[in-house]
Amino acid sequence: MAHFNKQDMLVGQLYSHHGLNEIYGHLIVAAILFLVSVVCAALLYRLFQKTQIEWPALLYAFIYTGLIGLGEFAEHFFTDTFLNTVLHYTHLLAAPGAMVFFYLAIREYHYKCSYPDEELNTVSNEASMGVFVTIITITVLLGGVAGTPWDETLEGPVLIVILLPMIALSALLIRAAGKIDKSNLTVYFPVFGAVLSGLTLTIWIGRFADVHQIAMLYIAAHSLQNVFHAGMATLILLFTRMIRREIRDDTLFKCRVNELSKHWEKKLEPKRRFNLDEQ
């Protein structure tokens, strides 16, 4: 049976695959998530420019998802407390950042479904700067107060603070997806929310198991993190492929809003243009 020894090392694990350490799988899937997210964001940016499509929040959501993988990968190569902590909390805080932009993305999608010929009314660009500055500020502050790499006195409370709004945002993504009919894309948004929330939850469970020396739970939590990283990368690839196909078929914004979205109509309705003929 696996357990922690007095040196806080996992011992007694099942020996297989020539003793291959799980950490390498962890690093690989984190790197894959980063690369997939950034490459897909770049591909869609170029495609949107060519086709004159506006959907900035989706690009920001992919970039912040990529930061999850980057921070998860890079933190393991730095033993300096400040650098390790900054990278560690970059990937933790990037998750709610990505969730915010996935929510704004589905709002933008709803807007274009409602008013396909109107210029997009969005706050994504302003929000991107606010989220970026917030993440940098918090990570630097935490890096300054952390006593050790992966300081357990900080991580547990921070994870709880992060997890609660992410669960709320997941519920909002489910609700927002229900306001749009005749679209295959809306199915992805609640799944994005569920995967990101599940990833944060398993990180918290892993930290709980580490603090309380529950070896098997610790192993299971880290294995699930790998699943969520790989799953998110796969979802982004499939989502990007579907967007490319719908742009090719000219069906990207041929969706329809339903009666559940009536209260959004007033908020999203484009501003009325001044017309001299009406005076």
Side-chain angles (χ1 to χ4, degrees):
M1 176 66 73
H3 63 278
F4 290 95
N5 64 13
K6 293 181 179 180
Q7 289 74 41
D8 202 31
M9 298 288 292
L10 276 169
V11 295
Q13 297 183 75
L14 177 68
Y15 182 86
S16 186
H17 291 170
H18 307 285
L20 175 66
N21 289 327
E22 178 272 342
I23 187 62
Y24 291 105
H26 195 67
L27 293 174
I28 289 169
V29 292
I32 288 173
L33 178 59
F34 168 68
L35 292 173
V36 166
S37 300
V38 172
V39 169
C40 286
L43 288 174
L44 288 181
Y45 175 75
R46 186 174 180 181
L47 184 60
F48 289 168
Q49 279 193 319
K50 286 183 178 180
T51 54
Q52 297 183 326
I53 289 174
E54 297 176 286
W55 205 351
L58 182 65
L59 302 180
Y60 291 129
F62 279 13
I63 290 170
Y64 279 96
T65 302
L67 287 179
I68 299 172
L70 177 63
E72 185 76 82
F73 175 83
E75 65 176 346
H76 295 281
F77 296 97
F78 295 91
T79 56
D80 178 76
T81 298
F82 178 79
L83 290 176
N84 174 274
T85 302
V86 167
L87 290 167
H88 182 60
Y89 286 101
T90 294
H91 89 75
L92 292 181
L93 293 169
M99 289 275 281
V100 168
F101 286 108
F102 277 124
Y103 179 67
L104 290 176
I106 199 169
R107 291 291 300 259
E108 291 174 358
Y109 187 60
H110 180 281
Y111 183 92
K112 294 300 289 185
C113 290
S114 303
Y115 310 104
D117 299 323
E118 294 288 339
E119 183 178 350
L120 183 64
N121 181 16
T122 181
V123 296
S124 293
N125 293 325
E126 294 83 355
S128 67
M129 289 303 299
V131 171
F132 180 76
V133 170
T134 300
I135 290 176
I136 293 298
T137 302
I138 294 176
T139 55
V140 170
L141 288 174
L142 291 173
V145 300
T148 61
W150 296 289
D151 192 331
E152 63 188 42
T153 61
L154 291 177
E155 189 173 4
V158 171
L159 281 169
I160 292 175
V161 171
I162 291 173
L163 184 59
L164 294 177
M166 288 187 69
I167 293 173
L169 282 169
S170 293
L172 288 175
L173 283 171
I174 294 171
R175 189 163 177 259
K179 300 176 186 296
I180 303 172
D181 294 332
K182 294 187 176 181
S183 170
N184 294 322
L185 295 178
T186 54
V187 176
Y188 283 85
F189 288 96
V191 182
F192 285 142
V195 171
L196 290 175
S197 296
L199 175 60
T200 304
L201 178 60
T202 55
I203 293 172
W204 180 83
I205 292 172
R207 173 54 65 191
F208 176 86
D210 185 9
V211 171
H212 293 85
Q213 300 285 282
I214 309 173
M216 295 305 294
L217 183 60
Y218 180 84
I219 294 169
H222 278 74
S223 298
L224 280 174
Q225 285 180 41
N226 296 343
V227 172
F228 282 124
H229 282 125
M232 193 67 185
T234 303
L235 285 169
I236 288 175
L237 281 172
L238 293 174
F239 191 66
T240 301
R241 182 176 180 272
M242 182 170 288
I243 289 175
R244 287 169 59 88
R245 187 180 65 187
E246 294 207 357
I247 290 175
R248 181 194 64 197
D249 297 339
D250 194 26
T251 58
L252 181 62
F253 297 124
K254 297 296 176 64
C255 42
R256 185 182 67 185
V257 298
N258 57 40
E259 293 184 359
L260 293 174
S261 62
K262 283 184 176 179
H263 76 284
W264 272 10
E265 294 293 330
K266 294 180 181 179
K267 297 180 182 179
L268 296 174
E269 188 174 356
K271 294 180 180 179
R272 188 179 180 187
R273 292 181 172 81
F274 184 74
N275 191 342
L276 291 175
D277 296 335
E278 296 179 1
Q279 306 303 313

